[in-house]
Amino acid sequence: MAISPGSEVLACVVHQSAGKSWVLYANIKDLLSYGIKSRDSESTLSSGSEGLQYKITAKEQWDKFTVDASAESVTHLLFTSDTTLCCVAQPDITEEGHEPHITTLSLPTRSVIKYPLDSSNNEEFDSGNWGRLFTTLAAIDSKQTLAVVLYKKQLIIRSLVDPSPRLKTQTTFRNYFIIDLLMDEQHSRLFALGSKSGHGMLLLMELPLTRLSHREKPREIKQFPKISHRDKFTARIFRGTKPTWNGMPGESNNTNTNANAGAADGDGYIVISVYAGAQPTLYKIHLPSPR
């Protein structure tokens, strides 16, 4: 599932047929107006244990487009803007020509374009050893410039609309694994969650977005000894405020779990929800100032 930056459109993936799936999208206000009580939990999208449920059907509130991949293989949906939706399906590495692709949909024009992510010039990677080709992606700006991670180690910056060489860069972080990417609201800093090679604990780091080269290393911000990089988690980045404290409801300025205890929220913070153990755990990490 994905929600547009302006929180106006919801998108999700459903099964269509063998090797094909639908990406459905709808205006959230329209869904609310069609909200119904339903006993059929298998055919609904629930918004709470006793809240409204919304049938995912072919009714007029849902628009759709076809993706040439099974619903199970669609690993990422991402709005790069309020009007552009990206979809990535994990390719089958046992088939010939298994390079990953990004499919984009323009909501106003309903045009669908498929972009390949060519990694064939990286002979150091063997898909049989590294497993899943595509790992994650994030929108660098609202102009369809993306940061894409392949093989959990290779970071590629690509513009889907501007062929300029300055927007075609890539680097490999040899001693790190990258699992998830987070871009700040100002589109100036790129953060990642992953781990160091040989270590299982989750690591928050900042990637050198403007200085990509093989000599640059991620900036390590915080390790989480109690969280494995294989645990299920979600993360969100929030804009900071200066100079006053403006934390989450019920939280005091003395309550934080990051390495910079007592730091202001001026440079923003990341909230990580970890689904390991008997109940979810929330972590709030204040972000250090840019270098």
Side-chain angles (χ1 to χ4, degrees), residues 14-176:
V14 297
H15 173 77
Q16 180 184 164
S17 61
K20 291 183 178 294
S21 57
W22 293 115
V23 173
L24 304 182
Y25 59 97
N27 185 280
I28 294 176
K29 289 184 179 179
D30 292 342
L31 291 181
L32 290 173
S33 67
Y34 278 88
I36 60 171
K37 292 285 185 179
S38 174
R39 296 179 182 178
D40 184 5
S41 61
E42 293 183 354
S43 63
T44 60
L45 193 67
S46 176
S47 62
S49 59
E50 296 183 1
L52 290 174
Q53 295 181 336
Y54 312 106
K55 280 184 174 295
I56 300 177
T57 67
K59 291 184 178 180
E60 60 185 20
Q61 66 266 32
W62 290 99
D63 289 308
K64 61 183 182 291
F65 70 98
T66 297
V67 176
D68 294 327
S70 65
E72 294 79 10
S73 65
V74 177
T75 58
H76 283 73
L77 287 178
L78 174 72
F79 281 94
T80 59
S81 68
D82 287 323
T83 59
T84 303
L85 176 63
C86 290
C87 171
V88 180
Q90 180 67 33
D92 185 348
I93 63 175
T94 64
E95 296 181 359
E96 185 177 356
H98 55 250
E99 293 293 339
H101 290 74
I102 296 177
T103 302
T104 66
L105 168 72
S106 171
L107 273 59
T109 65
R110 295 184 55 82
S111 60
V112 178
I113 305 176
K114 195 173 184 179
Y115 298 92
L117 284 171
D118 184 12
S119 62
S120 59
N121 59 341
N122 291 280
E123 299 180 355
E124 64 183 291
F125 291 110
D126 177 0
S127 61
N129 294 329
W130 289 98
R132 297 171 70 85
L133 301 180
F134 175 83
T135 305
T136 188
L137 81 164
I140 296 296
D141 55 32
S142 60
K143 301 177 181 178
Q144 299 192 48
T145 305
L146 302 177
V148 181
V149 176
L150 304 179
Y151 304 101
K152 295 185 179 181
K153 299 178 77 69
Q154 182 184 17
L155 176 66
I156 301 175
I157 306 297
R158 286 288 187 274
S159 171
L160 301 183
V161 295
D162 186 352
S164 172
R166 66 184 178 84
L167 293 176
K168 293 183 178 181
T169 58
Q170 63 185 47
T171 191
T172 301
F173 300 111
R174 300 181 182 276
N175 298 318
Y176 296 86

Side-chain angles (χ1 to χ4, degrees), residues 3 22 35 38 48 65 83 85 89 91 100 107 126 139 142 167 177 182 185 210 215 222 231 243 257 291:
I3 297 177
W22 293 115
S38 174
F65 70 98
T83 59
L85 176 63
L107 273 59
D126 177 0
S142 60
L167 293 176
F177 293 112
L182 298 164
E185 192 172 332
T210 59
R215 295 185 297 274
K222 181 173 176 59
D231 288 337
T257 57
R291 286 179 174 175

